[in-house]
PDB file of all heavy atoms in Angstrom:
ATOM      1  N   HIS A 158       6.216  21.202  14.369  1.00 95.00           N
ATOM      2  CA  HIS A 158       7.266  22.218  14.084  1.00 95.00           C
ATOM      3  C   HIS A 158       8.035  21.770  12.816  1.00 95.00           C
ATOM      4  O   HIS A 158       7.593  20.862  12.153  1.00 95.00           O
ATOM      5  CB  HIS A 158       8.083  22.642  15.253  1.00 95.00           C
ATOM      6  CG  HIS A 158       7.343  23.290  16.297  1.00 95.00           C
ATOM      7  ND1 HIS A 158       6.920  24.602  16.371  1.00 95.00           N
ATOM      8  CD2 HIS A 158       7.035  22.819  17.599  1.00 95.00           C
ATOM      9  CE1 HIS A 158       6.237  24.852  17.458  1.00 95.00           C
ATOM     10  NE2 HIS A 158       6.275  23.794  18.210  1.00 95.00           N
ATOM     11  N   GLY A 159       9.212  22.388  12.557  1.00 96.00           N
ATOM     12  CA  GLY A 159       9.914  21.925  11.328  1.00 96.00           C
ATOM     13  C   GLY A 159      11.096  22.752  10.960  1.00 96.00           C
ATOM     14  O   GLY A 159      11.976  22.982  11.805  1.00 96.00           O
ATOM     15  N   LEU A 160      11.114  23.345   9.775  1.00 97.00           N
ATOM     16  CA  LEU A 160      12.230  24.099   9.258  1.00 97.00           C
ATOM     17  C   LEU A 160      11.864  25.412   8.704  1.00 97.00           C
ATOM     18  O   LEU A 160      10.642  25.708   8.352  1.00 97.00           O
ATOM     19  CB  LEU A 160      12.913  23.265   8.201  1.00 97.00           C
ATOM     20  CG  LEU A 160      12.180  22.908   6.883  1.00 97.00           C
ATOM     21  CD1 LEU A 160      12.342  24.069   5.820  1.00 97.00           C
ATOM     22  CD2 LEU A 160      12.805  21.631   6.361  1.00 97.00           C
ATOM     23  N   ALA A 161      12.806  26.311   8.633  1.00 97.00           N
ATOM     24  CA  ALA A 161      12.567  27.711   8.113  1.00 97.00           C
ATOM     25  C   ALA A 161      13.733  28.100   7.198  1.00 97.00           C
ATOM     26  O   ALA A 161      14.832  28.242   7.633  1.00 97.00           O
ATOM     27  CB  ALA A 161      12.462  28.674   9.233  1.00 97.00           C
ATOM     28  N   LEU A 162      13.421  28.246   5.923  1.00 98.00           N
ATOM     29  CA  LEU A 162      14.486  28.499   4.903  1.00 98.00           C
ATOM     30  C   LEU A 162      14.388  29.978   4.476  1.00 98.00           C
ATOM     31  O   LEU A 162      13.344  30.415   3.998  1.00 98.00           O
ATOM     32  CB  LEU A 162      14.335  27.591   3.735  1.00 98.00           C
ATOM     33  CG  LEU A 162      15.152  27.844   2.430  1.00 98.00           C
ATOM     34  CD1 LEU A 162      16.621  27.639   2.810  1.00 98.00           C
ATOM     35  CD2 LEU A 162      14.754  26.960   1.320  1.00 98.00           C
ATOM     36  N   ASN A 163      15.506  30.670   4.566  1.00 98.00           N
ATOM     37  CA  ASN A 163      15.506  32.132   4.208  1.00 98.00           C
ATOM     38  C   ASN A 163      15.642  32.261   2.654  1.00 98.00           C
ATOM     39  O   ASN A 163      16.665  31.976   2.111  1.00 98.00           O
ATOM     40  CB  ASN A 163      16.647  32.875   4.839  1.00 98.00           C
ATOM     41  CG  ASN A 163      16.643  32.728   6.396  1.00 98.00           C
ATOM     42  OD1 ASN A 163      15.604  32.476   6.973  1.00 98.00           O
ATOM     43  ND2 ASN A 163      17.834  32.811   6.980  1.00 98.00           N
ATOM     44  N   LEU A 164      14.593  32.776   2.082  1.00 97.00           N
ATOM     45  CA  LEU A 164      14.493  32.967   0.609  1.00 97.00           C
ATOM     46  C   LEU A 164      14.895  34.370   0.251  1.00 97.00           C
ATOM     47  O   LEU A 164      16.035  34.652  -0.177  1.00 97.00           O
ATOM     48  CB  LEU A 164      13.166  32.604   0.004  1.00 97.00           C
ATOM     49  CG  LEU A 164      12.711  31.194   0.095  1.00 97.00           C
ATOM     50  CD1 LEU A 164      11.394  31.032  -0.656  1.00 97.00           C
ATOM     51  CD2 LEU A 164      13.744  30.210  -0.486  1.00 97.00           C
ATOM     52  N   ASP A 165      14.006  35.314   0.419  1.00 96.00           N
ATOM     53  CA  ASP A 165      14.278  36.710   0.043  1.00 96.00           C
ATOM     54  C   ASP A 165      13.768  37.646   1.159  1.00 96.00           C
ATOM     55  O   ASP A 165      13.360  38.776   0.891  1.00 96.00           O
ATOM     56  CB  ASP A 165      13.643  37.098  -1.258  1.00 96.00           C
ATOM     57  CG  ASP A 165      12.128  36.744  -1.309  1.00 96.00           C
ATOM     58  OD1 ASP A 165      11.569  36.257  -0.275  1.00 96.00           O
ATOM     59  OD2 ASP A 165      11.535  36.955  -2.414  1.00 96.00           O
ATOM     60  N   MET A 166      13.843  37.222   2.377  1.00 96.00           N
ATOM     61  CA  MET A 166      13.335  37.962   3.533  1.00 96.00           C
ATOM     62  C   MET A 166      14.217  39.120   3.960  1.00 96.00           C
ATOM     63  O   MET A 166      15.461  39.096   3.592  1.00 96.00           O
ATOM     64  CB  MET A 166      13.083  37.034   4.730  1.00 96.00           C
ATOM     65  CG  MET A 166      14.359  36.518   5.281  1.00 96.00           C
ATOM     66  SD  MET A 166      14.160  35.222   6.509  1.00 96.00           S
ATOM     67  CE  MET A 166      13.136  35.897   7.751  1.00 96.00           C
ATOM     68  N   ASP A 167      13.730  40.015   4.753  1.00 96.00           N
ATOM     69  CA  ASP A 167      14.504  41.040   5.369  1.00 96.00           C
ATOM     70  C   ASP A 167      15.251  40.423   6.501  1.00 96.00           C
ATOM     71  O   ASP A 167      14.701  39.819   7.441  1.00 96.00           O
ATOM     72  CB  ASP A 167      13.585  42.168   5.941  1.00 96.00           C
ATOM     73  CG  ASP A 167      14.365  43.216   6.658  1.00 96.00           C
ATOM     74  OD1 ASP A 167      15.642  43.241   6.571  1.00 96.00           O
ATOM     75  OD2 ASP A 167      13.664  44.105   7.225  1.00 96.00           O
ATOM     76  N   LEU A 168      16.624  40.416   6.493  1.00 96.00           N
ATOM     77  CA  LEU A 168      17.459  39.785   7.532  1.00 96.00           C
ATOM     78  C   LEU A 168      17.719  40.715   8.693  1.00 96.00           C
ATOM     79  O   LEU A 168      18.216  40.210   9.676  1.00 96.00           O
ATOM     80  CB  LEU A 168      18.795  39.361   6.891  1.00 96.00           C
ATOM     81  CG  LEU A 168      18.664  38.333   5.838  1.00 96.00           C
ATOM     82  CD1 LEU A 168      20.118  37.975   5.247  1.00 96.00           C
ATOM     83  CD2 LEU A 168      18.021  37.038   6.263  1.00 96.00           C
ATOM     84  N   GLU A 169      17.349  41.988   8.689  1.00 95.00           N
ATOM     85  CA  GLU A 169      17.641  42.873   9.734  1.00 95.00           C
ATOM     86  C   GLU A 169      17.208  42.401  11.168  1.00 95.00           C
ATOM     87  O   GLU A 169      17.919  42.534  12.091  1.00 95.00           O
ATOM     88  CB  GLU A 169      16.973  44.309   9.494  1.00 95.00           C
ATOM     89  CG  GLU A 169      17.378  45.360  10.567  1.00 95.00           C
ATOM     90  CD  GLU A 169      16.537  45.288  11.796  1.00 95.00           C
ATOM     91  OE1 GLU A 169      15.318  44.876  11.714  1.00 95.00           O
ATOM     92  OE2 GLU A 169      17.053  45.635  12.894  1.00 95.00           O
ATOM     93  N   PRO A 170      15.982  41.770  11.273  1.00 94.00           N
ATOM     94  CA  PRO A 170      15.543  41.380  12.573  1.00 94.00           C
ATOM     95  C   PRO A 170      16.483  40.343  13.226  1.00 94.00           C
ATOM     96  O   PRO A 170      16.555  40.257  14.546  1.00 94.00           O
ATOM     97  CB  PRO A 170      14.144  40.744  12.361  1.00 94.00           C
ATOM     98  CG  PRO A 170      13.621  41.524  11.214  1.00 94.00           C
ATOM     99  CD  PRO A 170      14.841  41.710  10.312  1.00 94.00           C
ATOM    100  N   PHE A 171      17.257  39.619  12.489  1.00 92.00           N
ATOM    101  CA  PHE A 171      18.262  38.710  13.105  1.00 92.00           C
ATOM    102  C   PHE A 171      19.287  39.369  13.886  1.00 92.00           C
ATOM    103  O   PHE A 171      19.844  38.806  14.785  1.00 92.00           O
ATOM    104  CB  PHE A 171      18.895  37.745  11.999  1.00 92.00           C
ATOM    105  CG  PHE A 171      17.985  36.765  11.492  1.00 92.00           C
ATOM    106  CD1 PHE A 171      17.438  36.816  10.222  1.00 92.00           C
ATOM    107  CD2 PHE A 171      17.755  35.557  12.197  1.00 92.00           C
ATOM    108  CE1 PHE A 171      16.575  35.867   9.665  1.00 92.00           C
ATOM    109  CE2 PHE A 171      16.933  34.586  11.713  1.00 92.00           C
ATOM    110  CZ  PHE A 171      16.336  34.643  10.455  1.00 92.00           C
ATOM    111  N   ASN A 172      19.523  40.679  13.592  1.00 91.00           N
ATOM    112  CA  ASN A 172      20.453  41.501  14.389  1.00 91.00           C
ATOM    113  C   ASN A 172      19.894  41.776  15.778  1.00 91.00           C
ATOM    114  O   ASN A 172      20.688  42.256  16.662  1.00 91.00           O
ATOM    115  CB  ASN A 172      20.761  42.844  13.701  1.00 91.00           C
ATOM    116  CG  ASN A 172      21.438  42.623  12.310  1.00 91.00           C
ATOM    117  OD1 ASN A 172      22.168  41.655  12.107  1.00 91.00           O
ATOM    118  ND2 ASN A 172      21.204  43.514  11.382  1.00 91.00           N
ATOM    119  N   ARG A 173      18.643  41.543  15.969  1.00 89.00           N
ATOM    120  CA  ARG A 173      18.062  41.843  17.310  1.00 89.00           C
ATOM    121  C   ARG A 173      18.079  40.662  18.261  1.00 89.00           C
ATOM    122  O   ARG A 173      17.622  40.798  19.384  1.00 89.00           O
ATOM    123  CB  ARG A 173      16.582  42.262  17.076  1.00 89.00           C
ATOM    124  CG  ARG A 173      16.364  43.354  16.097  1.00 89.00           C
ATOM    125  CD  ARG A 173      14.934  43.805  16.036  1.00 89.00           C
ATOM    126  NE  ARG A 173      14.557  44.606  14.903  1.00 89.00           N
ATOM    127  CZ  ARG A 173      13.420  45.128  14.700  1.00 89.00           C
ATOM    128  NH1 ARG A 173      12.452  44.984  15.607  1.00 89.00           N
ATOM    129  NH2 ARG A 173      13.182  45.868  13.537  1.00 89.00           N
ATOM    130  N   ILE A 174      18.687  39.589  17.772  1.00 82.00           N
ATOM    131  CA  ILE A 174      18.780  38.352  18.647  1.00 82.00           C
ATOM    132  C   ILE A 174      20.187  37.708  18.399  1.00 82.00           C
ATOM    133  O   ILE A 174      20.913  38.110  17.452  1.00 82.00           O
ATOM    134  CB  ILE A 174      17.676  37.349  18.278  1.00 82.00           C
ATOM    135  CG1 ILE A 174      17.809  36.928  16.778  1.00 82.00           C
ATOM    136  CG2 ILE A 174      16.311  37.868  18.536  1.00 82.00           C
ATOM    137  CD1 ILE A 174      16.908  35.825  16.375  1.00 82.00           C
ATOM    138  N   ASN A 175      20.512  36.756  19.265  1.00 82.00           N
ATOM    139  CA  ASN A 175      21.555  35.802  18.993  1.00 82.00           C
ATOM    140  C   ASN A 175      20.967  34.630  18.279  1.00 82.00           C
ATOM    141  O   ASN A 175      20.303  33.759  19.060  1.00 82.00           O
ATOM    142  CB  ASN A 175      22.317  35.450  20.307  1.00 82.00           C
ATOM    143  CG  ASN A 175      23.043  36.518  20.910  1.00 82.00           C
ATOM    144  OD1 ASN A 175      23.577  37.393  20.216  1.00 82.00           O
ATOM    145  ND2 ASN A 175      23.182  36.440  22.179  1.00 82.00           N
ATOM    146  N   PRO A 176      20.964  34.519  16.982  1.00 82.00           N
ATOM    147  CA  PRO A 176      20.214  33.513  16.271  1.00 82.00           C
ATOM    148  C   PRO A 176      20.604  32.081  16.797  1.00 82.00           C
ATOM    149  O   PRO A 176      21.803  31.690  16.873  1.00 82.00           O
ATOM    150  CB  PRO A 176      20.699  33.621  14.814  1.00 82.00           C
ATOM    151  CG  PRO A 176      21.151  35.037  14.760  1.00 82.00           C
ATOM    152  CD  PRO A 176      21.725  35.351  16.050  1.00 82.00           C
ATOM    153  N   CYS A 177      19.590  31.318  17.201  1.00 76.00           N
ATOM    154  CA  CYS A 177      19.703  29.978  17.697  1.00 76.00           C
ATOM    155  C   CYS A 177      20.637  30.005  18.945  1.00 76.00           C
ATOM    156  O   CYS A 177      21.245  28.897  19.210  1.00 76.00           O
ATOM    157  CB  CYS A 177      20.246  29.006  16.661  1.00 76.00           C
ATOM    158  SG  CYS A 177      19.171  29.064  15.142  1.00 76.00           S
ATOM    159  N   GLY A 178      20.870  31.040  19.576  1.00 76.00           N
ATOM    160  CA  GLY A 178      21.596  31.120  20.813  1.00 76.00           C
ATOM    161  C   GLY A 178      23.158  31.385  20.524  1.00 76.00           C
ATOM    162  O   GLY A 178      23.922  31.274  21.513  1.00 76.00           O
ATOM    163  N   TYR A 179      23.538  31.698  19.291  1.00 77.00           N
ATOM    164  CA  TYR A 179      24.950  31.950  18.998  1.00 77.00           C
ATOM    165  C   TYR A 179      25.137  33.444  18.709  1.00 77.00           C
ATOM    166  O   TYR A 179      24.663  33.959  17.769  1.00 77.00           O
ATOM    167  CB  TYR A 179      25.379  31.131  17.757  1.00 77.00           C
ATOM    168  CG  TYR A 179      25.381  29.650  18.063  1.00 77.00           C
ATOM    169  CD1 TYR A 179      24.240  28.816  17.749  1.00 77.00           C
ATOM    170  CD2 TYR A 179      26.503  29.007  18.557  1.00 77.00           C
ATOM    171  CE1 TYR A 179      24.262  27.480  17.989  1.00 77.00           C
ATOM    172  CE2 TYR A 179      26.478  27.681  18.778  1.00 77.00           C
ATOM    173  CZ  TYR A 179      25.359  26.890  18.476  1.00 77.00           C
ATOM    174  OH  TYR A 179      25.398  25.534  18.742  1.00 77.00           O
TER     175      TYR A 179
END
Side-chain angles (χ1 to χ4, degrees):
H158 295 287
L160 63 86
L162 173 65
N163 304 334
L164 294 185
D165 55 1
M166 68 190 303
D167 178 10
L168 297 178
E169 185 278 329
F171 285 104
N172 297 330
R173 308 185 195 185
I174 60 173
N175 291 328
C177 305
Y179 292 92

